[in-house]
mmCIF file of all heavy atoms in Angstrom:
data_model
loop_
_atom_site.group_PDB
_atom_site.id
_atom_site.type_symbol
_atom_site.label_atom_id
_atom_site.label_comp_id
_atom_site.label_asym_id
_atom_site.label_seq_id
_atom_site.Cartn_x
_atom_site.Cartn_y
_atom_site.Cartn_z
ATOM 1 N N GLY A 64 118.237 83.957 128.315
ATOM 2 C CA GLY A 64 118.579 84.666 127.081
ATOM 3 C C GLY A 64 119.512 85.832 127.324
ATOM 4 O O GLY A 64 120.496 86.031 126.600
ATOM 5 N N ALA A 65 119.235 86.597 128.364
ATOM 6 C CA ALA A 65 120.096 87.742 128.684
ATOM 7 C C ALA A 65 121.464 87.281 129.175
ATOM 8 O O ALA A 65 122.494 87.821 128.764
ATOM 9 C CB ALA A 65 119.422 88.616 129.741
ATOM 10 N N ARG A 66 121.495 86.274 130.007
ATOM 11 C CA ARG A 66 122.766 85.812 130.577
ATOM 12 C C ARG A 66 123.654 85.150 129.528
ATOM 13 O O ARG A 66 124.885 85.293 129.580
ATOM 14 C CB ARG A 66 122.500 84.875 131.747
ATOM 15 C CG ARG A 66 121.984 85.652 132.955
ATOM 16 C CD ARG A 66 121.720 84.770 134.135
ATOM 17 N NE ARG A 66 121.361 85.576 135.306
ATOM 18 C CZ ARG A 66 120.825 85.089 136.402
ATOM 19 N NH1 ARG A 66 120.581 83.786 136.500
ATOM 20 N NH2 ARG A 66 120.520 85.890 137.412
ATOM 21 N N LEU A 67 123.063 84.431 128.574
ATOM 22 C CA LEU A 67 123.859 83.805 127.515
ATOM 23 C C LEU A 67 124.511 84.868 126.633
ATOM 24 O O LEU A 67 125.693 84.760 126.280
ATOM 25 C CB LEU A 67 122.991 82.868 126.677
ATOM 26 C CG LEU A 67 122.517 81.607 127.398
ATOM 27 C CD1 LEU A 67 121.420 80.912 126.599
ATOM 28 C CD2 LEU A 67 123.678 80.677 127.682
ATOM 29 N N ALA A 68 123.749 85.893 126.284
ATOM 30 C CA ALA A 68 124.322 86.979 125.479
ATOM 31 C C ALA A 68 125.380 87.732 126.276
ATOM 32 O O ALA A 68 126.430 88.084 125.743
ATOM 33 C CB ALA A 68 123.212 87.928 125.015
ATOM 34 N N ARG A 69 125.120 87.958 127.555
ATOM 35 C CA ARG A 69 126.079 88.666 128.417
ATOM 36 C C ARG A 69 127.386 87.876 128.510
ATOM 37 O O ARG A 69 128.477 88.455 128.443
ATOM 38 C CB ARG A 69 125.468 88.863 129.815
ATOM 39 C CG ARG A 69 126.385 89.392 130.888
ATOM 40 C CD ARG A 69 126.975 90.763 130.672
ATOM 41 N NE ARG A 69 126.002 91.766 130.398
ATOM 42 C CZ ARG A 69 126.180 92.790 129.536
ATOM 43 N NH1 ARG A 69 127.329 92.924 128.884
ATOM 44 N NH2 ARG A 69 125.249 93.669 129.327
ATOM 45 N N ALA A 70 127.310 86.557 128.646
ATOM 46 C CA ALA A 70 128.517 85.728 128.736
ATOM 47 C C ALA A 70 129.330 85.830 127.447
ATOM 48 O O ALA A 70 130.559 85.941 127.494
ATOM 49 C CB ALA A 70 128.141 84.276 129.023
ATOM 50 N N ALA A 71 128.671 85.826 126.314
ATOM 51 C CA ALA A 71 129.384 85.949 125.036
ATOM 52 C C ALA A 71 129.974 87.342 124.878
ATOM 53 O O ALA A 71 131.094 87.502 124.395
ATOM 54 C CB ALA A 71 128.445 85.623 123.879
ATOM 55 N N ALA A 72 129.232 88.358 125.291
ATOM 56 C CA ALA A 72 129.707 89.743 125.176
ATOM 57 C C ALA A 72 130.961 89.972 126.011
ATOM 58 O O ALA A 72 131.809 90.791 125.650
ATOM 59 C CB ALA A 72 128.613 90.713 125.603
ATOM 60 N N ALA A 73 131.103 89.231 127.090
ATOM 61 C CA ALA A 73 132.247 89.407 127.983
ATOM 62 C C ALA A 73 133.576 89.032 127.329
ATOM 63 O O ALA A 73 134.634 89.409 127.827
ATOM 64 C CB ALA A 73 132.052 88.582 129.252
ATOM 65 N N SER A 74 133.502 88.353 126.191
ATOM 66 C CA SER A 74 134.747 87.936 125.538
ATOM 67 C C SER A 74 135.457 89.087 124.828
ATOM 68 O O SER A 74 136.613 88.950 124.444
ATOM 69 C CB SER A 74 134.468 86.800 124.540
ATOM 70 O OG SER A 74 133.685 87.265 123.458
ATOM 71 N N ARG A 75 134.778 90.220 124.650
ATOM 72 C CA ARG A 75 135.423 91.386 124.048
ATOM 73 C C ARG A 75 134.894 92.652 124.706
ATOM 74 O O ARG A 75 133.684 92.890 124.730
ATOM 75 C CB ARG A 75 135.155 91.439 122.535
ATOM 76 C CG ARG A 75 136.092 92.449 121.852
ATOM 77 C CD ARG A 75 135.928 92.508 120.349
ATOM 78 N NE ARG A 75 134.893 93.485 120.052
ATOM 79 C CZ ARG A 75 133.885 93.267 119.232
ATOM 80 N NH1 ARG A 75 133.750 92.135 118.619
ATOM 81 N NH2 ARG A 75 132.997 94.209 119.023
ATOM 82 N N PRO A 76 135.768 93.474 125.251
ATOM 83 C CA PRO A 76 135.323 94.702 125.918
ATOM 84 C C PRO A 76 134.490 95.586 124.987
ATOM 85 O O PRO A 76 134.776 95.698 123.795
ATOM 86 C CB PRO A 76 136.632 95.401 126.293
ATOM 87 C CG PRO A 76 137.652 94.314 126.330
ATOM 88 C CD PRO A 76 137.227 93.319 125.287
ATOM 89 N N GLY A 77 133.468 96.177 125.552
ATOM 90 C CA GLY A 77 132.663 97.134 124.810
ATOM 91 C C GLY A 77 131.470 96.557 124.085
ATOM 92 O O GLY A 77 130.656 97.301 123.543
ATOM 93 N N VAL A 78 131.336 95.232 124.037
ATOM 94 C CA VAL A 78 130.179 94.632 123.369
ATOM 95 C C VAL A 78 128.965 94.787 124.276
ATOM 96 O O VAL A 78 129.012 94.451 125.461
ATOM 97 C CB VAL A 78 130.432 93.147 123.027
ATOM 98 C CG1 VAL A 78 129.176 92.508 122.433
ATOM 99 C CG2 VAL A 78 131.600 93.011 122.053
ATOM 100 N N LEU A 79 127.879 95.312 123.719
ATOM 101 C CA LEU A 79 126.648 95.555 124.467
ATOM 102 C C LEU A 79 125.648 94.427 124.238
ATOM 103 O O LEU A 79 125.686 93.749 123.208
ATOM 104 C CB LEU A 79 126.022 96.875 124.037
ATOM 105 C CG LEU A 79 126.875 98.122 124.213
ATOM 106 C CD1 LEU A 79 126.167 99.341 123.628
ATOM 107 C CD2 LEU A 79 127.202 98.346 125.680
#
Side-chain angles (χ1 to χ4, degrees):
R66 288 181 174 166
L67 291 167
R69 171 62 53 217
S74 67
R75 194 177 88 228
V78 175
L79 301 175

